């Protein structure tokens, strides 16, 4: 109760939209799995951010460290060098910017540069100081399900009941970050598709979305171009569809996720998902008018 009082009025919520949000992915990295290198230079990254906003992105998620399976880590200085100029430029133009980082020093400087949300794929596990920074700044905080860094995460892709275990782990993370002073109203939960998960686990989590929504916090989904979509869409020789050909499938996930009530989808191709979430919202509105 004391904590709730202490933080009352400090939560910096994003404006309500009445529909699923589209978060455009801006990886300022040479090695992300589907767009690595495409926007590595700050000018190209800023231009891509502007383009995503023009296509209907509600926010832009800027990251400087690849999280593809097996990816090596970059140091904090390099991560800062990649993301800060891009965040500064886009925020100065009025964009809603989140920072995709597991490092508290990167998150802190990103917030100073104009970011208004922290997307932490480790859900506070990589850096226990993250939740205190988020508590002090009052910004929305994406807490993702994570079982260790990308270099080793696929070794941990074993579950008895993936939906129940991910839901329990997210509930535990929510309890822990709120114990560190984060207002529950700040927290967005994310099952972390592909992070220590097989394709079967990802499909089970999508089917189990109602269980995750029952945790009582908004849910963000990152399915965009991930390999489980490639594996669904094989060619005649059984080869998975390459990442660049997975955008229509990503759009389909966005439509279904929006219809299921998720708070946001994190995507590379904004146009398709921006349309998909609007279709889902119009459909839901029409159902309310004429049941
Ligand atoms: N996936 C990636 C990176 N960051 N953040 C959240 N909240 N959820 C995700 O699923 C997620 C993420 C990896 O994908 P990318 O390399 O295309 O950014």
């Amino acid at each position: 109760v004391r904590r709730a009082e202490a933080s009352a009025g400090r939560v910096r919520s994003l404006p309500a939209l009445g529909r699923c949000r589209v978060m455009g992915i801006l990886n300022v990295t040479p090695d992300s799995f589907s767009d690595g290198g495409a926007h590595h230079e700050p000018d190209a990254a800023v231009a891509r951010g502007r383009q995503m906003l023009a296509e209907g992105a509600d926010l832009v998620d800027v990251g400087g460290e690849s999280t593809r399976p097996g990816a090596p880590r970059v140091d904090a200085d390099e991560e800062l060098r990649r993301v800060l100029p891009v965040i500064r430029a886009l925020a100065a133009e009025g964009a809603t910017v989140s920072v995709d980082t597991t490092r508290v020093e990167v998150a802190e400087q990103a917030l100073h540069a104009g970011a208004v949300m922290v997307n932490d794929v480790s859900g506070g596990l990589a850096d226990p100081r993250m939740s205190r920074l988020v508590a002090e700044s009052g910004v929305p905080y994406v807490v993702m399900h994570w079982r260790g860094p990308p270099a080793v995460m696929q070794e941990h892709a074993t579950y008895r009941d993936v939906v129940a275990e991910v839901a329990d782990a997210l509930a535990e993370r929510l309890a822990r970050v709120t114990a560190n002073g984060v207002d529950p109203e700040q927290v967005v939960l994310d099952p972390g598709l592909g992070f220590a998960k097989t394709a079967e686990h990802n499909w089970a989590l999508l089917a189990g979305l109602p269980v995750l929504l029952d945790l009582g916090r908004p849910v963000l989904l990152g399915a965009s171009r991930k390999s489980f979509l490639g594996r669904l869409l094989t060619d005649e020789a059984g080869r998975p569809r390459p990442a660049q050909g997975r955008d229509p499938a990503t759009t389909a996930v966005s439509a279904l996720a929006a219809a299921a009530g998720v708070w946001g989808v994190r995507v590379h191709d904004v146009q398709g998902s921006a349309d998909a979430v609007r279709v889902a919202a119009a459909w839901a509105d029409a159902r309310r008018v004429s049941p």
Side-chain angles (χ1 to χ4, degrees):
V1 174
R2 232 184 316 119
R3 203 167 33 247
E5 280 168 5
S7 58
R10 286 197 307 110
V11 175
R12 291 160 58 188
S13 306
L14 301 181
L17 294 180
R19 60 161 170 76
C20 178
R21 285 160 208 273
V22 177
M23 176 191 256
I25 301 171
L26 196 47
N27 288 320
V28 195
T29 59
D31 61 344
S32 283
F33 78 94
S34 72
D35 60 355
H39 326 108
H40 186 37
E41 294 309 321
D43 287 351
V46 173
R48 175 66 190 137
R50 284 191 197 114
Q51 186 188 6
M52 289 196 291
L53 293 161
E55 288 174 356
D58 301 298
L59 57 161
V60 177
D61 189 38
V62 180
E65 183 174 43
S66 171
T67 50
R68 78 182 150 74
R73 296 219 62 181
V74 297
D75 64 32
D77 285 344
E78 174 63 11
E79 199 183 336
L80 283 164
R81 198 190 62 73
R82 292 177 183 181
V83 300
L84 285 185
V86 179
I87 292 172
R88 211 173 277 126
L90 290 173
E93 293 176 18
T96 303
V97 179
S98 67
V99 61
D100 183 351
T101 188
T102 59
R103 288 192 169 106
V104 72
E105 60 269 44
V106 175
E108 184 164 28
Q109 293 207 41
L111 294 176
H112 283 136
V116 293
M117 176 163 169
V118 174
N119 175 22
D120 177 358
V121 299
S122 83
L125 284 169
D127 196 331
R129 297 169 301 167
M130 188 69 98
S131 46
R132 294 202 185 281
L133 170 74
V134 170
E136 281 157 22
S137 56
V139 295
Y141 180 32
V142 179
V143 169
M144 199 191 82
H145 179 259
W146 190 77
R147 283 187 166 179
V152 298
M153 67 187 178
Q154 289 314 104
E155 295 162 25
H156 302 288
T158 51
Y159 303 84
R160 271 171 295 100
D161 177 342
V162 67
V163 177
E165 287 171 64
V166 168
D168 286 353
L170 287 174
E172 183 277 332
R173 284 283 88 214
L174 177 61
R176 182 56 61 94
V177 301
T178 51
N180 286 340
V182 174
D183 189 311
E185 292 295 311
Q186 289 173 257
V187 177
V188 173
L189 298 174
D190 184 332
L193 299 177
F195 285 80
K197 279 128 199 140
T198 64
E200 291 69 32
H201 295 141
N202 293 336
W203 290 117
L205 286 163
L206 289 172
L209 272 176
V211 177
L212 303 179
L213 290 162
D214 272 353
L215 294 170
R217 297 305 311 146
V219 170
L220 175 69
L221 274 186
S224 188
R225 296 184 183 167
K226 285 186 178 168
S227 62
F228 75 111
L229 299 177
R231 257 195 255 159
L232 176 74
L233 308 167
T234 50
D235 64 13
E236 14 1 298
R239 285 181 299 246
R241 175 91 54 88
Q244 306 300 338
R246 299 174 191 162
D247 286 334
T250 301
T251 297
V253 174
S254 294
L256 293 166
V262 310
W263 174 90
V265 288
R266 181 181 177 279
V267 296
H268 300 87
D269 167 50
V270 165
Q271 188 110 62
S273 288
D275 290 355
V277 299
R278 285 164 177 81
V279 167
W283 191 312
D285 282 350
R287 191 184 289 132
R288 270 190 289 276
V289 175
S290 52

